[in-house]
Amino acid sequence: MKIFKYENIDSTFLESGRMSPTLDNGEYLFLAKEQSAGRGQGDHSFLSPRKNGIYATLLVKRDFDLKTHPMIVKRLTPLAAVCATEVLSEYRGDLRIKWINDLMYCDKKYGGILSATSIEKDKITSFRIGFGINLGDAQLPGEICQTATTLNVSGLDYDIIAQKIAKHILRSLGDDFIEKYRSLSTTIGKKVILANEEIAVAREICNDFTLNVETQTGEIINLKNTFGIKIL
């Protein structure tokens, strides 16, 4: 795995996308000490203060046949969430996952996962997994610290931890990890505000990592992602 390191960059996720066309097939890890435009799911930003955490993206350039790997696109984000949680549990206990990509500690978000794939015809030619994780003791702004936190484990080599997470992801690509994901989830039983403002309750994480919720009328709705909804 080749590693690219940056003192400051807009986003390792964006940089990996820019660099991908110029790189041969292989595995690449992009690391930054600080990001000026860290990204989360959708249009969300991810605050990335200097030397306060892991700001990383794993790029894998390799062909995956969608006929033989039909679930790979849906698996990338939850797999990375499980792998990050397992590695970081060496340094802090009681780490959980909020469906589908939020890394949680004491009911607050300390990190998140972002993934993207490049598809040509019936094959994935590359994929990217970004992971941003608050580890240090930097003070988060007041409006953010209401829902976000840090693991506060400064003094560690964050680049080494990022490499551990990336290697764990690569080793686990073919694993069946759905039960691990379910056991780490904080979501089942939580109220969910749907896009139409209706309130539902999370009932089941399905085998394809989608979420079944039950409305107040008893209707079961299958959610593919968190866009437009809010999990309380």
Side-chain angles (χ1 to χ4, degrees), residues 24-184:
D24 295 328
N25 280 2
E27 299 154 356
Y28 305 88
L29 185 61
F30 295 77
L31 302 172
K33 292 182 179 178
E34 182 179 20
Q35 294 183 134
S36 59
R39 292 186 57 196
Q41 289 281 11
D43 294 328
H44 295 167
S45 61
F46 184 83
L47 188 66
S48 312
R50 183 167 180 77
K51 296 184 179 180
N52 194 59
I54 293 172
Y55 316 125
T57 298
L58 172 65
L59 166 65
V60 177
K61 294 198 66 175
R62 188 193 314 167
D63 287 351
F64 294 87
D65 191 329
L66 285 172
K67 294 178 180 177
T68 55
H69 299 83
M71 280 282 291
I72 188 168
V73 175
K74 295 180 180 179
R75 287 166 49 93
L76 292 176
T77 294
L79 172 63
V82 169
C83 291
T85 299
E86 290 182 334
V87 169
L88 293 166
S89 290
E90 300 175 21
Y91 312 101
R92 183 71 71 205
D94 198 29
L95 303 183
R96 307 294 296 280
I97 300 168
K98 180 179 176 182
W99 186 83
I100 184 169
N101 69 315
D102 287 349
L103 305 179
M104 306 295 290
Y105 175 61
C106 293
D107 292 325
K108 291 186 176 183
K109 179 179 176 178
Y110 71 89
I113 308 295
L114 181 67
S115 66
T117 55
S118 295
I119 299 176
E120 296 179 5
K121 296 183 180 179
D122 291 326
K123 65 181 181 181
I124 293 175
T125 56
S126 69
F127 65 78
R128 292 177 287 151
I129 300 175
F131 42 103
I133 300 166
N134 297 321
L135 287 173
D137 55 7
Q139 184 66 42
L140 299 176
E143 68 276 10
I144 292 178
C145 69
Q146 294 178 21
T147 56
T149 190
T150 173
L151 295 188
N152 199 8
V153 286
S154 30
L156 301 175
D157 188 327
Y158 297 155
D159 287 355
I160 295 298
I161 299 174
Q163 290 175 58
K164 286 184 179 180
I165 294 172
K167 290 176 181 178
H168 192 12
I169 293 170
L170 293 171
R171 288 194 304 267
S172 306
L173 283 174
D175 290 358
D176 180 1
F177 63 95
I178 181 64
E179 292 306 326
K180 283 185 181 179
Y181 185 82
R182 286 173 175 147
S183 70
L184 291 168

Side-chain angles (χ1 to χ4, degrees), residues 99 187-204 211-223 228-232:
W99 186 83
T187 303
I188 301 306
K190 294 290 182 66
K191 290 183 178 180
V192 180
I193 301 177
L194 303 178
N196 63 0
E197 301 299 325
E198 186 176 3
I199 295 178
V201 177
R203 294 300 187 198
E204 177 189 20
L211 180 69
N212 280 344
V213 300
E214 183 179 3
T215 68
Q216 293 174 322
T217 62
E219 180 185 3
I220 299 297
I221 298 175
N222 181 254
L223 302 177
I229 73 164
K230 183 177 181 180
I231 301 173
L232 301 179

